[in-house]
Amino acid sequence: MSVTKDLKRITTETIRKMKFSGEKISMLTAYDFTIATLVDAAGTEIILVGDSAANVMAGHETTLPITLDQMIYHAQCVVRAAKRALVVVDLPFGTYQSDPQKALESAVRIMKESGAHAVKLEGGKEIEESIKRIINAGIPVMGHLGLTPQSIYQFGSYKVRAKDNSEAEQLISDAKLVEELGCFALVMEKIPADLAKKVTETIQIPTIGIGAGNSTDGQVLVVHDMLGLNNEFNPKFVRKYLQLEDQIKSAIENYVADVKSSDFPNENEQY
Ligand code: KIV
């Protein structure tokens, strides 16, 4: 049974209800107005303005360099486009880990200046006070556990997380904590499918997986990955629904050739 059909605006409450109705939650990233318009119109329930913008929009190797001002800019573009989807924005690295007051101020800036509906933070126990402070101010928070790209230099690689028992136990305990603190949903990135299933069955808030198997309550992908905009990036968990890199390159090559041969513009393409 669909709980989202005909809804004007998806809310955190809608997302919570979807877990219990069994309707899977679809989430995709977007960082600009044009793509966000398409993602929204296609029926995606959640648009994530991910700090993966640092990689796919700005060309950085990691997500660490993106700033709060830059995230707010991307969020503003997406919010203008999203007529139905819930818009969640990543708090970027360095804006919430050091101090709960700073975390709250960062989250408030995102909500006030972009008009987004929720924020996402990476981590569990270590950022407990920051999550608490933001939720106490009435701002919905989405958690993020497993592979947390802002900690890449601590992990040393983008390999699957929580394969051993102690890390798996820690993740389960962090997931329970995130639920207790009042987060409305939890992203789990690149962890074994069995562990993601166990967490999904243990906690009452919706889980959204990326590289975490099929038992989570929803799925998220980076939109550039699922559209096939980068032939060099082929992790197992990405299903490519298009091969846009090839198509765009070939379209641009055709344009260049048409300009050079004076085929473009023709008589119908001029005033
Ligand atoms: O920044 C991002 O795109 C994310 C998703 C991978 C979940 O956090």
Side-chain angles (χ1 to χ4, degrees):
M1 189 193 66
S2 169
V3 293
T4 60
K5 203 169 160 278
D6 303 331
L7 268 190
K8 240 184 143 191
R9 171 69 72 186
I10 306 288
T11 64
T12 54
E13 199 43 38
T14 323
I15 300 302
R16 272 192 241 266
K17 282 187 186 150
M18 288 174 79
K19 179 173 181 110
F20 298 102
S21 74
E23 181 179 354
K24 292 268 187 173
I25 300 157
S26 61
M27 168 160 139
L28 277 176
T29 65
Y31 320 97
D32 68 272
F33 179 83
T34 304
I35 296 288
T37 301
L38 298 173
V39 170
D40 187 62
T44 315
E45 282 89 18
I46 306 177
I47 302 181
L48 173 66
V49 184
D51 59 357
S52 49
N55 309 116
V56 295
M57 301 302 288
H60 292 295
E61 248 181 55
T62 72
T63 58
L64 275 63
I66 200 158
T67 65
L68 187 57
D69 284 340
Q70 287 165 341
M71 287 302 296
I72 289 169
Y73 168 75
H74 287 297
Q76 288 167 339
C77 301
V78 169
V79 166
R80 265 177 233 128
K83 302 283 175 265
R84 175 175 173 275
L86 182 84
V87 178
V88 180
V89 182
D90 267 336
L91 279 189
F93 177 67
T95 64
Y96 62 94
Q97 291 94 342
S98 58
D99 147 33
Q101 185 56 28
K102 184 167 179 190
L104 175 59
E105 284 163 14
S106 307
V108 166
R109 275 201 63 200
I110 287 182
M111 302 297 283
K112 257 189 188 298
E113 295 177 39
S114 76
H117 311 120
V119 295
K120 176 163 81 59
L121 278 69
E122 295 182 6
K125 181 90 190 120
E126 69 284 10
I127 55 156
E128 178 177 357
E129 293 306 318
S130 293
I131 295 178
K132 244 191 229 165
R133 190 73 69 93
I134 297 171
I135 291 177
N136 282 346
I139 299 173
V141 172
M142 176 180 272
H144 184 156
L145 298 172
L147 176 67
T148 46
Q150 291 178 15
S151 308
I152 183 59
Y153 291 118
Q154 191 178 41
F155 296 151
S157 82
Y158 288 101
K159 285 195 192 126
V160 177
R161 303 303 310 175
K163 276 166 98 174
D164 65 61
N165 277 348
S166 76
E167 204 183 326
E169 287 309 317
Q170 184 59 52
L171 190 139
I172 293 170
S173 140
D174 278 339
K176 287 181 185 162
L177 176 67
V178 157
E179 176 184 27
E180 255 172 57
L181 293 173
C183 289
F184 74 94
L186 171 65
V187 166
M188 295 189 289
E189 179 165 356
K190 254 187 144 177
I191 61 168
D194 285 351
L195 176 60
K197 182 171 192 283
K198 188 168 173 190
V199 173
T200 301
E201 288 167 355
T202 303
I203 62 176
Q204 304 300 304
I205 57 171
T207 59
I208 299 176
I210 171 162
N214 199 14
S215 299
T216 50
D217 300 306
Q219 297 291 329
V220 56
L221 284 176
V222 169
V223 72
H224 289 60
D225 298 343
M226 56 84 75
L227 294 177
L229 271 160
N230 179 0
N231 289 345
E232 305 294 302
F233 188 62
N234 296 301
K236 190 171 166 181
F237 65 85
V238 171
R239 183 178 293 178
K240 294 194 178 183
Y241 288 83
L242 282 174
Q243 300 294 337
L244 272 192
E245 177 175 338
D246 297 337
Q247 290 170 265
I248 292 175
K249 255 195 201 155
S250 128
I252 295 172
E253 280 162 10
N254 289 341
Y255 165 75
V256 171
D258 288 352
V259 170
K260 302 233 175 261
S261 68
S262 296
D263 179 78
F264 175 79
N266 64 26
E267 274 180 16
N268 298 323
E269 292 161 333
Q270 68 188 18
Y271 297 100

